[in-house]
Amino acid sequence: MSQFVDEAQVNVRGGDGGAGAISFRREAHTPKGGPDGGDGGNGGDVFLRADRNVASLLAFRDHPHRRATSGTHGGGKRKTGASGDDLVVTVPEGTVVKTHEGERAADLISHGDSYLAARGGQGGRGNASFLSNSRRAPSFAEQGEYGEERWLRLELKLMADAALVGFPNAGKSTLISTVSAAKPKVADYPFTTLVPHLGVVRFRDHEYVLADIPGLVEGAADGRGLGHRFLRHIERARVLVLLLDLASVEGITPAQQEAVLLSELGRYEPQLLERPRLVVGTKADVATMPFDGNRISAATHDGLDELLGGIGTLVDEARGAEPEPQPFVVLRPVEEGFSVRRDDDGAWRVFGRAAERVVAMADLTNLEALAYVHDRFRKMGVERELAKAGAREGDTVRIGAIELEYQEGIL
């Protein structure tokens, strides 16, 4: 079974925050001391990071779950709990991160590119943090916030300087095994190559990475054959090398092969047609069809020097024309504020991380903590926005997983 995996799903979860402590000073000469409960530690974050030493997404195939460690609880004497460790999950260079719905979240192109995949939960504040002139002995503390959890889709697009593109059995695997140390499977039947292969070519003053892309067929842009799974790996190549089979057993002429290949590339991604490319006839030693362009034979090595030199020149020119790399990484901004909308059943829902965090971290069974939540919402303007939206006495208000009853002057 092949050990190359270019698609995977991963479940990431940040560590939970530790709970704040409820504690009061109890010393020999201070029998009724003030609150001294410490804060809980924050949960660790989960990062995805591109690493040049990782070759595929195989590690996620059977073990898709990745979780950072949680923070510890606070203690008396204002002791703050330890924060959880961040978890760095390495992926190959060229990995595209998408949400479960298919929206692109980040493109980890170069070694070291990182993406914050799941935030850790915030540690809860101890009762010492709630001391005020009106609240001299707070008997409540915050719970730790749960870490963020979600599923992500990972797709690998190979990072190659030049890609070999051609019909099945056009000689791509034979060529790359001849000019590099890559050892793809070679046999005389369609789709021998089921996964891409990379090989490093060193020829005279040139050094570049050559990719053997599994054979394209007519309709590949629509998903025929292995369709988009193959075409995806061509996207990052600087140079395209079209290999035309001069001994096609199906009798497809080189001109027809070239027309189909260009059509499929253009339908999948029109910009691919603007890439520098070489068009080469293969199997020159057993050719049965005429061809006026460059011809090679991987078996006899005829024409290989000219081909490798030509690819190297185009790769060098393409590298020289590129601007300094600017990795495309979408950072998810911290959500500020809140919004109010109405659910289908008529209940009101308050959206926004800040508002949801207030109720998620509060002990709503404690009347003093509940009064604090109401006070926080008044200061944030939640009550005012609900009133503006049309909320009436007794209406249900949902915030996160909590349901509250709207009462004017309270919420």
Side-chain angles (χ1 to χ4, degrees):
M1 180 179 291
S2 170
Q3 297 301 295
F4 180 86
V5 176
D6 57 1
E7 291 182 328
Q9 295 193 57
V10 60
N11 176 267
V12 288
R13 180 174 176 181
D16 297 335
I22 302 173
S23 174
F24 295 89
R25 289 174 56 201
R26 292 292 183 266
E27 299 174 4
H29 303 291
T30 315
K32 296 184 179 181
D36 67 353
D39 300 341
N42 295 329
D45 298 325
V46 180
F47 293 89
L48 298 179
R49 180 170 298 167
D51 189 324
R52 65 170 61 96
N53 297 312
V54 179
S56 85
L57 300 173
L58 176 66
F60 302 98
R61 188 174 63 185
D62 298 321
H63 304 283
H65 297 276
R66 300 292 186 275
R67 181 173 182 174
T69 56
S70 297
T72 59
H73 303 321
K77 299 183 179 180
R78 296 180 181 266
K79 291 181 180 178
T80 299
S83 293
D85 294 329
D86 292 340
L87 176 65
V88 177
V89 180
T90 56
V91 296
E93 293 176 309
T95 296
V96 177
V97 183
K98 294 184 177 181
T99 65
H100 191 60
E101 294 74 28
E103 179 183 351
R104 188 161 81 163
D107 200 347
L108 307 180
I109 298 175
S110 304
H111 180 78
D113 286 352
S114 296
Y115 171 63
L116 176 57
R119 296 184 182 93
Q122 181 174 298
R125 290 177 293 173
N127 67 334
S129 298
F130 298 100
L131 177 66
S132 67
N133 290 332
S134 60
R135 193 185 298 114
R136 305 305 301 170
S139 62
F140 67 95
E142 287 180 329
Q143 306 300 307
E145 182 185 25
Y146 288 120
E148 184 179 20
E149 180 179 12
R150 58 184 181 147
W151 282 93
L152 295 170
R153 290 163 51 185
L154 306 179
E155 296 180 359
L156 174 59
K157 298 180 181 179
L158 290 182
M159 305 292 288
D161 294 305
L164 302 178
V165 183
F167 276 33
N169 278 347
K172 299 179 298 298
S173 297
T174 302
L175 176 59
I176 198 171
S177 64
T178 300
V179 301
S180 75
K183 299 299 179 186
K185 182 179 179 182
V186 179
D188 189 21
Y189 54 86
F191 295 112
T192 302
T193 304
L194 296 179
V195 298
H197 292 90
L198 294 178
V200 177
V201 176
R202 296 180 178 87
F203 180 76
R204 296 175 183 166
D205 296 332
H206 305 294
E207 180 173 324
Y208 51 87
V209 177
L210 190 62
D212 164 22
I213 305 299
L216 297 185
V217 295
E218 189 168 4
D222 298 321
R224 188 173 173 226
L226 292 181
H228 291 179
R229 290 194 58 189
F230 289 171
L231 285 163
R232 182 173 70 242
H233 294 295
I234 302 174
E235 287 187 44
R236 300 199 195 280
R238 295 180 170 94
V239 174
L240 303 181
V241 182
L242 271 59
L243 299 186
L244 310 180
D245 187 355
L246 303 184
S248 170
V249 296
E250 292 84 6
I252 305 175
T253 67
Q256 291 172 328
Q257 294 177 49
E258 182 177 2
V260 170
L261 294 175
L262 294 178
S263 173
E264 295 303 322
L265 292 174
R267 290 174 58 211
Y268 177 74
E269 176 54 70
Q271 292 183 348
L272 290 174
L273 299 180
E274 301 174 8
R275 302 280 172 86
R277 65 175 181 262
L278 290 174
V279 180
V280 182
T282 64
K283 305 180 185 177
D285 55 317
V286 291
T288 58
M289 300 180 182
F291 181 67
D292 295 333
N294 295 330
R295 300 155 64 99
I296 65 167
S297 169
T300 65
H301 292 198
D302 288 345
L304 292 189
D305 286 357
E306 292 81 359
L307 174 63
L308 299 182
I311 296 174
T313 298
L314 288 180
V315 168
D316 290 344
E317 292 174 353
R319 288 172 177 167
E322 292 176 351
E324 289 295 317
Q326 297 293 328
F328 169 74
V329 178
V330 179
L331 300 178
R332 293 182 295 122
V334 176
E335 184 179 348
E336 300 290 348
F338 63 91
S339 61
V340 174
R341 302 177 210 164
R342 197 156 200 173
D343 286 344
D344 293 339
D345 61 357
W348 299 95
R349 183 172 293 278
V350 179
F351 292 91
R353 184 175 175 84
E356 292 171 5
R357 176 179 279 167
V358 172
V359 295
M361 300 177 69
D363 178 7
L364 299 181
T365 63
N366 183 301
L367 294 180
E368 193 175 3
L370 186 59
Y372 171 77
V373 169
H374 289 155
D375 185 56
R376 283 278 290 140
F377 282 153
R378 277 195 298 271
K379 292 179 179 178
M380 291 173 62
V382 173
E383 179 185 343
R384 182 174 62 253
E385 289 302 315
L386 282 167
K388 284 172 59 178
R392 296 291 181 266
E393 192 87 14
D395 284 356
T396 298
V397 178
R398 297 183 179 121
I399 307 176
I402 303 299
E403 287 192 356
L404 302 172
E405 183 178 308
Y406 179 75
Q407 298 179 32
E408 294 183 16
I410 298 180
L411 178 61

